[in-house]
Amino acid sequence: FTPAELAAVRADFPLLGRTVRDGKPLVYLDSAATSQKPQVVLDTEVDFYEQRNAAVHRGAHALAEEATEAFEHAREQVAALVGVEADEIVWTAGATMGINLVATGIQNATLGRGGAAAEQFRIGPGDEILVTEAEHHSNLVPWQELAARTGATLRWIPVREDGRLDLSGLDDLVTERTRVVAFAHVSNVTGAVAPVARIAAAARDAGALTVLDACQSVPHRPVDFHALDVDFAVFSAHKTLGPTGVGALYGRRELLEALPPVTTGGSMVEVVTMEATTFAPPPLKFEAGTQMVAQAVGFGAAADYLRELGMDAVAAHEAELAEELLKIGEIPGVRVLGPETVGTLGEDAGPEAGLPDRVAAVSFVVDGVHAHDVGQVLDDAGIAVRVGHHCAQPLHRRFGLAASARASAAVYTTLDEVTAFREALAGVRAFFGEE
Ligand code: PMP
């Protein structure tokens, strides 16, 4: 972005203009937890409630028609952001719900629901689910549960000291017993981009399903689930400049048709008798109950906002921010977790060739100072970072840590904000008498 373009982006985010802690300008570096929202998203939600509010997919009245149109248009907008068709997008309450939907759908198939078409999902003792040591708990615990409920075995790809996945044992980890390979596109702790093409190819060769946690990629770089050739993928609106309470699950059309539903009830049915029910085709089959319509419509506006900025431009801007953020590694006593430089993915990354190999989420620890104290000193300066284990306890354990601090940027973050953060961080050890 040119400085003028970035200034225009910032002006779209009302919250970024506020001050905190006795008038200090807010420096918001917690976008990996949740992003701020542009005015157009807020306006779209308000407009929905002011002008179109009605339950969708029923009601033969004008408002219901307009609400349904807005809801389904949003599905097209969100689908377009990730290169897929609208009917391959299922609304969920967020990424966590999307992963649980797939895991529990597989469990239901294992219980015999879904008939012959769902047999492909069955999993049992001796079968294997493969995850990675870098997963957010949302993409780990549901698979632990599925393994516990079905007798399957959970295995994982380890993480190297540099924070990248250790794929040296991939051929042994993906076997003919592997039924699911679930992994994050981008780690919410290290910012490292996983070699999706390589892992997806290994899974495909073994006949395993791939489930991609795209929470930390979709907001920050061009993502095309068809090109990445994954079977399922999830992401959350609230990290993607959109509202809370809504997310998306992408599924290959034939898999969404075959996967049994998880939440059952109104709106997801075709014919209901006292004895039995036939289900609507996907995506509606997975959308029981009154949906989060205003939020979905807001999500659609967020997707369009990002597409209009251009995801290549977003990725380029954020690569610059990542480079600036990583300079904290030069501050004495500061240790960055994960890749310490921003590189470019090579030809072996397939559709991702040429894109940055990490995003602008940088976790770090400061010698002799607890992460929570680091967070507090930064907060006193108006700088918002995340502290704790970032819902990735196993990864922190891998690094010999219980907690870290994380600074994470988004499209609206400026280099000046990163500089302010670096300067404040440089004073942290002195503040605690560590130097
Ligand atoms: N996966 C990753 C990589 C994440 O960063 C997060 C959110 N921190 C989630 C999953 C869960 O997303 P949500 O809380 O929106 O369901």
Side-chain angles (χ1 to χ4, degrees), residues 325 327-335 364-367 369 374 377-378 381 383 417-435:
L325 279 170
K327 289 185 186 161
I328 61 171
E330 295 161 12
I331 301 171
V334 171
R335 171 186 160 203
F364 58 96
V365 286
V366 181
D367 265 1
V369 185
V374 173
V377 172
L378 294 173
I383 300 167
E417 287 182 298
V418 176
T419 304
F421 157 67
R422 279 212 323 266
E423 283 169 1
L425 184 62
V428 163
R429 285 183 82 215
F431 183 89
F432 286 98
E434 285 291 325
E435 54 183 44

Side-chain angles (χ1 to χ4, degrees), residues 260-272:
V262 170
T263 307
T264 55
S267 308
M268 51 79 71
V269 299
E270 246 161 21
V271 179
V272 182

Side-chain angles (χ1 to χ4, degrees), residues 32 94-97 136 138 184 186 188 213 215-216 236 238-239:
T96 303
M97 287 299 284
H136 187 283
S138 288
V186 173
N188 66 308
D213 174 353
C215 277
Q216 300 291 350
S236 282
H238 72 93
K239 295 180 197 279

Side-chain angles (χ1 to χ4, degrees), residues 3-13 305:
E5 284 168 338
L6 186 55
V9 168
R10 278 188 81 77
D12 288 334
F13 290 77
Y305 180 87

Side-chain angles (χ1 to χ4, degrees), residues 133-187:
E133 198 178 10
E135 295 313 305
H136 187 283
H137 298 160
S138 288
N139 198 31
L140 171 59
V141 183
W143 302 115
Q144 287 176 343
E145 278 296 302
L146 180 64
R149 293 171 192 168
T150 59
T153 303
L154 188 79
R155 303 183 73 188
W156 53 89
I157 297 170
V159 169
R160 301 189 316 213
E161 199 55 38
D162 66 359
R164 300 244 174 234
L165 297 177
D166 179 357
L167 296 185
S168 59
L170 190 65
D171 292 344
D172 295 325
L173 283 168
V174 181
T175 72
E176 74 279 5
R177 298 311 304 261
T178 310
R179 306 306 318 280
V180 178
V181 179
F183 63 106
H185 192 177
V186 173
S187 161

Side-chain angles (χ1 to χ4, degrees), residues 336-384:
V336 168
L337 312 184
E340 289 170 42
T341 55
V342 186
T344 302
L345 293 171
E347 288 308 314
D348 56 347
E352 296 219 284
L355 287 173
D357 65 357
R358 63 135 42 249
V359 305
V362 177
S363 294
F364 58 96
V365 286
V366 181
D367 265 1
V369 185
H370 194 281
H372 287 86
D373 293 332
V374 173
Q376 199 175 341
V377 172
L378 294 173
D379 180 47
D380 283 344
I383 300 167

